[in-house]
């Protein structure tokens, strides 16, 4: 039997999802409760501590199945979108609210308290955040909570971009953040996931998962790269912009950057890592 990936399996020795009963060992099994992310983005950490490593981020409107809530204000659960399991601040979650009708389609947008861009914003939201919009006017989408968002920065939830590389390019110069998924900070696999999701293409979170599951492996290596091909190293992924350049969030530049492909390959090789594969991603339906 193939071992279950702990990153995608809501199971601990003391507690596991009811759906896993008979497949894993745990002291008790629980059904879990539905919740929704209400903050612009919520950290999903490896342990219930603000000092614990950041594994990924959940965006506003994302659904979470919560299996435990501690007295210290942490929830242990699983993200609906990509199945990632970990700890989120309880204050970032609430019971699911109104139907989510729209999503943020810009790298970041501002939320105003009224239909007036001269008003001080009350918040900001990242690409992919989901919203319940009560009404639309010529300039603003008005949320059920009374926030005003520029109408140019939102789209209906079932509307998708057509070029995920262009979406990724909109993050150029974004700071590198391990586990990040927004324009405030993003990592290599987060960039790939966010860009593909914007085009309606499902994508798991970590680069090793993406190398196994995203697109189709091609055997020509780096000799016949096309725009949108994904290039993998152990623990890293980059996006081909064309035959000679790549785009990736990386710790060398500490940002999302464009590099000549072979220069990046040589630099990463000198650091001890070789290319492990190339995947070609089909367009969304």
């Amino acid at each position: 039997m193939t071992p279950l990936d702990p990153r995608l399996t809501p199971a601990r020795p003391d507690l596991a999802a009811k759906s896993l009963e008979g497949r894993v060992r745990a002291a008790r099994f629980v059904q879990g409760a539905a919740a929704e992310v209400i903050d612009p983005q919520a950290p999903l950490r490896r342990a219930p501590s603000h000092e614990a490593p950041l594994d990924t981020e959940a965006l506003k409107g994302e659904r979470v199945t919560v299996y435990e809530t501690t007295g210290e204000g942490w929830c242990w659960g699983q993200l609906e979108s990509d199945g990632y399991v970990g700890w989120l601040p309880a204050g970032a979650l609430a019971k699911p609210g109104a139907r989510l009708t729209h999503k943020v389609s810009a790298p970041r947008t501002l939320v105003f308290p009224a239909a007036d861009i001269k008003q001080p914003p009350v918040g900001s939201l990242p690409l992919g955040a989901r919203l319940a919009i009560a009404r639309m006017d010529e300039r603003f989408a008005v949320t059920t909570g009374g926030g005003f968002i520029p109408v140019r920065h939102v789209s209906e939830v079932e509307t998708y971009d057509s070029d995920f590389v262009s979406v990724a390019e909109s993050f150029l110069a974004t700071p590198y953040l391990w586990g990040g998924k927004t324009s405030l900070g993003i990592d290599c696999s987060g960039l790939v996931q966010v860009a593909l999701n914007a085009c309606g293409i499902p994508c798991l979170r970590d680069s090793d998962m993406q190398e196994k599951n995203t697109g189709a492996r091609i055997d020509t290596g780096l000799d016949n790269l096309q725009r949108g091909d994904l290039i993998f190293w152990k623990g890293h992924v980059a996006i081909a912009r064309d035959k000679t350049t790549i785009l990736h969030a990386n710790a060398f530049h500490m940002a999302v950057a464009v590099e000549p492909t072979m220069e990046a390959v040589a630099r990463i090789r000198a650091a001890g890592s070789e290319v492990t594969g190339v995947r070609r991603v089909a367009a969304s339906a």
Side-chain angles (χ1 to χ4, degrees), residues 220-271:
T220 54
L222 304 177
D223 295 331
N224 190 31
L225 287 177
Q226 294 182 10
R227 181 176 172 86
D229 286 348
L230 302 179
I231 306 164
F232 291 92
W233 294 260
K234 182 180 172 73
H236 188 58
V237 59
I239 303 167
R241 294 175 70 243
D242 50 38
K243 291 182 180 298
T244 61
T245 62
I246 61 171
L247 173 77
H248 57 155
N250 64 92
F252 178 78
H253 295 94
M254 284 306 296
V256 177
V258 171
E259 267 190 284
T261 303
M262 298 317 296
E263 286 185 18
V265 169
R267 176 175 59 77
I268 297 172
R269 177 183 295 123

Side-chain angles (χ1 to χ4, degrees), residues 26-228:
R28 61 191 179 98
F29 295 86
V30 299
Q31 193 66 47
E36 183 179 299
V37 177
I38 56 173
D39 284 358
Q41 68 263 356
L44 184 145
R45 299 191 182 277
R46 207 167 301 172
S49 166
H50 292 291
E51 285 72 48
L54 176 68
D55 282 335
T56 188
E57 292 179 309
L59 307 182
K60 180 176 175 63
E62 188 157 2
R63 295 296 174 90
V64 184
T65 301
V66 175
Y67 295 102
E68 180 185 28
T69 301
T70 73
E72 292 74 34
W74 290 92
C75 290
W76 184 68
Q78 183 172 34
L79 305 184
E80 181 180 281
S81 62
D82 61 15
Y84 221 104
V85 175
W87 294 90
L88 300 107
L93 305 177
K95 290 183 178 180
R99 185 174 69 90
L100 303 174
T101 59
H102 290 71
K103 61 187 177 183
V104 175
S105 54
R108 183 158 293 274
T109 192
L110 298 175
V111 183
F112 296 92
D116 182 0
I117 61 172
K118 295 181 181 179
Q119 292 278 332
V122 295
S124 69
L125 295 170
L127 176 72
R130 299 202 165 203
L131 310 162
I133 299 298
R135 61 184 174 86
M136 305 282 283
D137 64 28
E138 186 176 342
R139 297 183 64 197
F140 293 96
V142 185
T143 71
T144 54
F148 289 74
I149 299 170
V151 71
R152 291 179 178 273
H153 290 175
V154 300
S155 62
E156 295 181 356
V157 290
E158 296 302 327
T159 300
Y160 299 108
D161 285 282
S162 59
D163 182 358
F164 85 90
V165 182
S166 292
V167 176
E169 287 172 330
S170 72
F171 284 85
L172 271 171
T174 295
Y176 179 83
L177 174 66
W178 181 277
K181 283 181 58 175
T182 79
S183 63
L184 297 179
I186 200 163
D187 67 12
C188 64
S189 55
L191 180 66
V192 170
Q193 185 185 52
V194 168
L196 286 173
N197 286 172
C199 294
I201 302 172
C203 181
L204 293 174
R205 178 58 177 90
D206 293 342
S207 62
D208 65 314
M209 300 174 182
Q210 293 170 356
E211 186 170 7
K212 292 177 182 177
N213 297 283
T214 304
R217 186 178 179 91
I218 59 175
D219 297 326
T220 54
L222 304 177
D223 295 331
N224 190 31
L225 287 177
Q226 294 182 10
R227 181 176 172 86

